[in-house]
Amino acid sequence: MVLHSRLLWKIYASYSALILALAVVVGLLISKSAINDTLDEIRQSLEYQAIFLRDLSIPTLQGEPDALFQERVRNLGADIDTRLTVIDASGVVLADSDGNPARMDNHGSRPEVLASQREGFGMATRYSNSVGMRMMYYALTVSTSQRPIGYVRTALPLSIIDQRLGHLRRAIIIGLVMAMIIALLLGFVLARHFVQPLAAMTMAAHSMSQGDYDKRIHLMRTDEIGTLATALNHLAASCKDRTETILSDRNRLSTILSGMTEGVIAVNADERVTHMNRAAAKILAVSAEESLGRPIWEISRMRQVSELLTEAMCPESNEPSHEQLVASGEDQFIEMRAAPLNNGQGERVGAVIVLRDVSNLRRLEMIREEFVANASHELKTPITAIRGLVETMIDDKELPPAQRERFLERIWHQSMRLSSLSMDLLTLSRLDANHVEGEESLVDLRELVLDAVESLISMSETKGVPIHAEGPADAMEVVGNEEALCQVVNNLLDNALKYTPAGGKVDVRLTPQGDEIVLEVQDTGIGIARKDLPRIFERFYRVDKARSREVGGTGLGLSIVKHIVKTHGGRLSVDSVPGKGSTFRVILPGARETDTTDDCLDPS
Ligand code: ADP
């Protein structure tokens, strides 16, 4: 991994270039100084040899005959690997280790000899005609009593010197190359030592940028790199914590938003949807997923949504929220509330809108308004009648007793209507408030029906409409509120008697049907037209208002029945043929063994 690091190779390349440059410079300097030293050494050794030769040559140069002098010089030169020459003051060669002095020309004009004449010694590097090769010469003047008597000369072939210098150069190059190899190896190890943790940190930082905060850098170092790695590990840990907090906050928020019944839409500064919960998607009839990222005006069929968001986002607007109620579709009403969204710096970054479907509320409001209007109208009629009758009786003191009696009877009749109206309204308001008075208990529907029939016997006889009840001999129990169930049976029987002319009949039947009990009230009365059937359970709805009023109806009886049956978990239906009669059917869940707890049992 580290071998792929560009930093490693960059550092290493610079380091290698530096080492190479250093090696070249150091090599040149060393070799130059070594060559100089070697040349000095050679020169010095030529000088020492010349001094020895000088002492050896003095007797001969002073003119003492020595037949073996040439032989001795030759042997000495061969022993020390140096050419030795002895020259007299006139330049004649007296002895030479490498040549025959008799055949050699006058050496008085040789550069080294001339230099020696001037300085006492002389040096020259040149081609030797006598031995046929390039040589380095050192000449020394031989003097006695301040008078020069000759010269001695030592010389080395340049090839020997070059050979020595060559050895020296090779040794320097080999030394430098080995030092370079060691330096380069050490440099690589050093560069890796620094780059490896950096590569590990780069990988960890890369993982962090991808959202993986679990990577840690394990370094046992206390230098700046170790401190940096520890800081990076801390950063990863704190980033992980923060990300987890943000994620859990976001999840919580999105759970809350998706669970809300209100629709919530958030848009960015370009009015593109950044969030839309399920409720909002349902209200706008769009897909929440497909809406993300699209402009709000493109997806919303209600232009008021985008208008209100634009208004909320307007930089000049300082209002915290903007509200509007919009009717969308036939009976759908949406309450909208938009507010701007600002970032930490207070800049406007978007807006959020909350949509609330208030259709049900509006419908209930309308029903309530209608109900209040109907109720006040229904109450006004008997009150007006009573007031009129009473005023007439007060004004006309001489009203004949028979007429006064009739007036009083009508006042009683109207007050009875008022009473039953107020009773029915009270019952309905209790039912609306989900507050059925009395506790639930086991109620024997059979007994309840028999009691109701018995209480209506005199009325049925007066009207000439007999009531016939049939059912099983055993008790037929349901769990419920006795008073409310009693009202169901009474209202149905009362209606059957009211809307059945004399000569007709009413049948009440109780039959078990599986786990349920069916109560049927069938009459042979005036019946109900098909178009009115769905509406007779509405409050104050009466097929024939005058007739209902005449028989003391309030228009609330069936809506009370429907309400009670519903709260007891039952169902209500009606079959009717105008002129033939009607059958009202109530199906209630029967009391099962498990339901008959001690609390519900009627002690009687
Ligand atoms: P009301 O007090 O007027 O009887 P209800 O709510 O009990 O009010 O009944 C609503 C309407 O349904 C009545 O006005 C009547 O027109 C019709 N209705 C109810 N029961 C019968 C029935 N057994 N036969 C014919 N019409 C009926």
Side-chain angles (χ1 to χ4, degrees):
M1 178 60 214
V2 187
L3 292 179
H4 295 127
S5 163
R6 281 166 61 191
L7 180 66
L8 173 77
W9 292 115
K10 263 187 191 172
I11 292 176
Y12 192 58
S14 319
Y15 176 81
S16 304
L18 191 73
I19 293 287
L20 207 71
L22 264 175
V24 169
V25 171
V26 170
L28 284 175
L29 286 175
I30 290 177
S31 79
K32 198 172 172 203
S33 109
I35 287 168
N36 286 341
D37 287 353
T38 310
L39 285 174
D40 279 351
E41 210 178 286
I42 291 169
R43 200 180 301 125
Q44 214 161 30
S45 111
L46 284 176
E47 188 186 337
Y48 291 155
Q49 286 164 359
I51 289 168
F52 280 122
L53 185 61
R54 181 185 64 185
D55 294 345
L56 190 80
S57 308
I58 287 175
T60 306
L61 285 171
Q62 283 176 332
E64 287 178 24
D66 186 354
L68 295 174
F69 185 63
Q70 163 66 18
E71 193 60 31
R72 274 195 283 144
V73 170
R74 184 188 299 275
N75 290 341
L76 187 63
D79 286 348
I80 59 172
D81 258 347
T82 308
R83 183 183 170 195
L84 303 173
T85 314
V86 181
I87 307 161
D88 71 4
S90 57
V92 176
V93 178
L94 300 180
D96 191 286
S97 62
D98 289 14
N100 184 357
R103 286 204 206 130
M104 289 167 79
D105 56 359
N106 190 297
H107 274 44
S109 58
R110 296 288 193 270
E112 64 277 8
V113 176
L114 290 175
S116 179
Q117 277 172 8
R118 288 191 306 272
E119 311 275 339
F121 72 95
M123 278 200 73
T125 304
R126 62 183 170 76
Y127 185 78
S128 162
N129 288 323
S130 313
V131 287
M133 59 176 82
R134 278 175 65 78
M135 308 276 285
M136 180 188 261
Y137 294 99
Y138 185 88
L140 193 66
T141 305
V142 186
S143 309
T144 52
S145 326
Q146 304 292 321
R147 197 175 57 87
I149 54 167
Y151 307 94
V152 285
R153 194 180 72 173
T154 51
L156 264 180
L158 276 182
S159 61
I160 293 181
I161 297 171
D162 287 345
Q163 200 182 5
R164 277 202 215 169
L165 291 180
H167 283 150
L168 186 71
R169 278 200 197 95
R170 238 190 329 274
I172 290 172
I173 288 172
I174 288 171
L176 275 176
V177 167
M178 280 174 71
M180 244 171 70
I181 290 172
I182 292 169
L184 288 177
L185 281 173
L186 277 176
F188 184 78
V189 171
L190 204 69
R192 219 176 67 137
H193 180 68
F194 283 103
V195 170
Q196 202 163 28
L198 286 178
M201 282 189 265
T202 311
M203 258 177 69
H206 187 69
S207 302
M208 272 164 72
S209 75
Q210 311 268 304
D212 176 8
Y213 300 108
D214 290 328
K215 283 253 158 42
R216 292 287 178 275
I217 308 144
H218 302 285
L219 287 185
M220 306 297 284
R221 298 169 66 145
T222 50
D223 58 3
E224 280 80 356
I225 290 180
T227 316
L228 181 63
T230 315
L232 212 62
N233 284 344
H234 286 319
L235 182 70
S238 80
C239 275
K240 191 180 175 189
D241 283 354
R242 277 187 213 168
T243 313
E244 275 170 7
T245 313
I246 291 170
L247 272 178
S248 81
D249 281 356
R250 204 171 61 186
N251 284 347
R252 198 168 33 228
L253 189 68
S254 89
T255 312
I256 292 170
L257 287 175
S258 64
M260 274 172 72
T261 47
E262 283 91 358
V264 180
I265 304 170
V267 294
N268 61 14
D270 302 329
E271 296 192 19
R272 287 180 183 275
V273 177
T274 53
H275 182 86
M276 180 183 280
N277 71 353
R278 250 177 305 178
K282 197 176 162 202
I283 291 171
L284 297 184
V286 293
S287 149
E289 287 76 28
E290 284 170 20
S291 305
L292 284 183
R294 287 174 61 195
I296 185 71
W297 47 262
E298 194 182 293
I299 51 160
S300 169
R301 69 195 153 91
M302 281 192 279
R303 64 180 166 73
Q304 293 93 333
V305 173
S306 57
E307 280 174 6
L308 207 65
L309 280 167
T310 314
E311 209 177 290
M313 255 196 294
C314 177
E316 288 87 45
S317 140
N318 288 321
E319 290 172 47
S321 70
H322 304 255
E323 290 176 36
Q324 201 176 345
L325 184 72
V326 179
S328 86
E330 199 128 282
D331 53 357
Q332 196 186 25
F333 292 89
I334 309 295
E335 192 183 79
M336 306 191 302
R337 190 176 291 222
L341 283 176
N342 295 339
N343 65 8
Q345 283 78 48
E347 294 156 1
R348 202 142 288 183
V349 290
V352 64
I353 191 165
V354 177
L355 308 174
R356 196 153 77 100
D357 190 343
V358 289
S359 314
N360 269 343
L361 273 180
R362 287 281 294 191
R363 204 165 30 250
L364 284 174
E365 209 174 305
M366 274 159 62
I367 290 171
R368 194 178 55 81
E369 279 168 10
E370 202 180 321
F371 179 74
V372 171
N374 281 334
S376 30
H377 178 74
E378 289 299 326
L379 290 169
K380 210 173 78 187
T381 317
I383 289 171
T384 315
I386 291 171
R387 206 176 73 186
L389 290 165
V390 171
E391 275 173 6
T392 315
M393 282 167 71
I394 292 169
D395 289 348
D396 195 352
K397 304 276 185 232
E398 280 148 32
L399 206 64
Q403 201 167 354
R404 186 176 284 270
E405 188 74 14
R406 225 175 34 253
F407 273 24
L408 282 173
E409 219 170 90
R410 279 172 64 191
I411 288 171
W412 178 85
H413 192 76
Q414 292 299 340
S415 65
M416 284 305 289
R417 222 183 124 203
L418 266 179
S419 156
S420 51
L421 246 175
S422 60
M423 289 287 287
D424 281 358
L425 285 173
L426 212 62
T427 311
L428 265 179
S429 91
R430 278 187 195 137
L431 289 169
D432 280 347
N434 255 348
H435 177 74
V436 183
E437 267 190 12
E439 281 193 6
E440 285 199 336
S441 58
L442 270 184
V443 181
D444 182 4
L445 275 184
R446 186 177 163 278
E447 205 177 296
L448 212 121
V449 167
L450 289 177
D451 286 352
V453 170
E454 205 178 302
S455 67
L456 288 169
I457 282 286
S458 67
M459 184 178 157
S460 90
E461 278 171 2
T462 322
K463 273 208 78 173
V465 180
I467 304 179
H468 176 69
E470 58 181 85
D474 301 331
M476 306 210 71
E477 288 175 326
V478 292
V479 178
N481 182 279
E482 187 166 4
E483 200 186 314
L485 291 170
C486 192
Q487 192 152 13
V488 169
V489 178
N490 275 333
N491 280 8
L492 291 177
L493 281 176
D494 191 48
N495 275 355
L497 282 177
K498 274 194 297 192
Y499 300 108
T500 305
K505 66 173 179 123
V506 174
D507 284 318
V508 195
R509 275 186 297 277
L510 263 179
T511 34
Q513 187 180 286
D515 286 344
E516 296 173 321
I517 296 169
V518 184
L519 164 71
E520 276 180 319
V521 179
Q522 185 176 20
D523 63 56
T524 55
I526 59 171
I528 305 157
R530 179 182 278 270
K531 70 172 173 53
D532 293 312
L533 277 178
R535 300 202 58 192
I536 54 169
F537 298 103
E538 288 174 19
R539 293 172 185 192
F540 293 112
Y541 186 81
R542 286 169 293 196
V543 177
D544 183 342
K545 275 195 177 160
R547 184 172 199 145
S548 160
R549 228 172 263 147
E550 193 186 300
V551 294
T554 59
L556 295 172
L558 282 182
S559 57
I560 291 173
V561 169
K562 184 182 162 189
H563 222 316
I564 295 173
V565 170
K566 206 171 139 197
T567 53
H568 280 76
R571 306 189 295 279
L572 175 65
S573 62
V574 58
D575 294 325
S576 187
V577 182
K580 290 257 168 76
S582 318
T583 306
F584 286 84
R585 194 170 294 107
V586 173
I587 302 169
L588 290 168
R592 277 172 290 167
E593 282 301 309
T594 46
D595 291 330
T596 56
T597 56
D598 287 348
D599 284 349
C600 296
L601 280 173
D602 189 348
S604 62

